[in-house]
């Protein structure tokens, strides 16, 4: 199923796009698996997403852990730890 | 009253204070203003956010504070885009009948905002831009409100 991926801050800069639509395989069911799947597509994506410890995620605009499910999700965002205020 | 605003324009304290003081039942308003620090060599600070998700996260923080301290108003105004040293980044206000609730709720608003709302800072100094790293102290400050 089509999934919109949004990137923010240095993740966006390293990916070279702010947003993309992907169709991951059905067995990709968690955020962590999605990141692995995105990173495995090509060398640039792999490099951009290499620093897994500094990646945070939101599924359908809610902050989640990397083990969260993406089944049925429409939008996943990947970004560094937040630094507002 | 919950007031959430995320925008590129400068934060107008006169307007914000008028709204905060005008909330029903208000006898005390506590506010926090965050500025771009003028003294540590930063030429420009740029704020990025996650449109929609950021506003929703701020609304949850403000609603939680309003419920916990029975506030007449909870205000969070956050600027995005490029800003210069000395300019306001964020303004929060808690309007309550008495000072204790207003002061505590104000601290809660800014502490939770720091960890719960998707914003990212990029600073430029000596012509070089870099993304600001999250501070461990921010998570600890937010955690003290978990009860």
């Amino acid at each position: 199923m089509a999934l919109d991926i949004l990137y923010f801050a240095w993740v966006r800069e390293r990916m070279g796009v702010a947003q993309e639509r992907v169709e991951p395989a059905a067995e990709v069911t968690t955020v962590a698996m999605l990141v692995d799947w995105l990173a495995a597509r090509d060398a640039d994506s792999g490099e951009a997403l290499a620093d897994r410890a500094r990646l945070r995620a939101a599924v359908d605009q809610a902050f989640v852990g990397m083990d969260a499910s993406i089944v049925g999700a429409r939008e996943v965002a990947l970004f560094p730890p937040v630094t507002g205020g | 009253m919950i007031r959430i605003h995320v925008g590129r324009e400068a934060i107008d304290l006169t307007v914000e204070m008028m709204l905060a003081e005008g909330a029903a039942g208000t006898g005390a308003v506590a506010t926090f203003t965050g500025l771009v620090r003028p003294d540590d060599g930063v030429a420009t600070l740029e704020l990025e956010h996650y449109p929609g998700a950021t506003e929703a996260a701020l609304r949850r923080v403000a609603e939680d504070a309003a419920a916990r301290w029975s506030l007449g108003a909870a205000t969070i105004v956050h600027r995005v885009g490029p800003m210069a040293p000395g300019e306001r980044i964020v303004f929060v206000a808690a309007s309550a009948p008495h000072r204790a609730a207003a002061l505590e709720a104000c601290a809660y608003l800014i502490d939770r905002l720091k960890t719960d709302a998707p914003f990212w800072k990029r600073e430029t100094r000596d012509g070089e831009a870099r993304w600001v790293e999250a501070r461990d102290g921010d998570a600890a400050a937010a955690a003290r409100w978990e009860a």
Side-chain angles (χ1 to χ4, degrees):
Chain A
M1 207 176 74
L3 187 61
D4 287 324
I5 315 289
L6 277 59
Y7 305 108
F8 292 99
W10 57 254
V11 183
R12 170 178 55 71
E13 288 182 342
R14 290 181 195 179
M15 290 302 287
V17 292
Q19 188 167 354
E20 61 176 323
R21 179 161 290 181
V22 298
E23 298 223 14
E27 59 266 28
V28 176
T29 56
T30 68
V31 175
M33 292 165 85
L34 175 68
V35 173
D36 288 343
W37 183 84
L38 290 166
R41 292 177 306 171
D42 55 75
D44 288 347
S45 298
E47 212 166 292
L49 299 171
D51 199 351
R52 302 285 208 280
R54 292 170 69 217
L55 283 184
R56 300 291 182 270
V59 171
D60 290 333
Q61 304 207 344
F63 285 7
V64 295
M66 285 291 155
D67 56 352
S69 172
I70 59 162
V71 176
R74 290 185 311 178
E75 181 177 298
V76 175
L78 298 172
F79 45 81
V82 301
T83 54
Chain B
M1 179 194 79
I2 304 292
R3 170 161 165 74
I4 303 299
H5 181 73
V6 177
R8 297 177 69 88
E9 68 278 13
I11 297 170
D12 186 335
L13 287 190
T14 308
V15 170
E16 298 307 334
M17 284 307 295
M18 203 173 64
L19 291 169
E21 292 179 356
T26 297
V29 178
T31 73
F32 172 87
T33 307
L35 309 172
V36 182
R37 259 179 288 281
D39 58 357
D40 66 356
V42 173
T44 311
L45 186 72
E46 189 151 6
L47 261 290
E48 179 172 330
H49 77 305
Y50 182 173
T54 301
E55 289 84 349
L58 295 177
R59 183 164 296 277
R60 275 194 300 278
V61 170
E63 284 174 351
D64 288 352
R68 186 162 167 176
W69 284 279
S70 301
L71 303 179
T75 304
I76 304 178
V77 181
H78 205 297
R79 202 165 159 203
V80 291
M83 47 204 100
E87 291 192 307
R88 297 179 195 110
I89 306 168
V90 62
F91 172 83
V92 307
S95 310
H98 300 284
R99 74 180 184 285
L103 287 165
E104 273 190 34
C106 178
Y108 175 94
L109 288 171
I110 189 63
D111 284 348
R112 286 273 315 274
L113 179 158
K114 287 255 177 196
T115 57
D116 289 23
F119 288 103
W120 298 274
K121 286 193 183 100
R122 187 170 68 159
E123 59 183 31
T124 303
R125 56 176 88 215
D126 301 326
E128 210 165 301
R130 67 169 196 100
W131 292 95
V132 173
E133 297 283 337
R135 298 169 59 237
D136 292 340
D138 291 342
R144 77 189 165 107
W145 297 105
E146 281 164 22

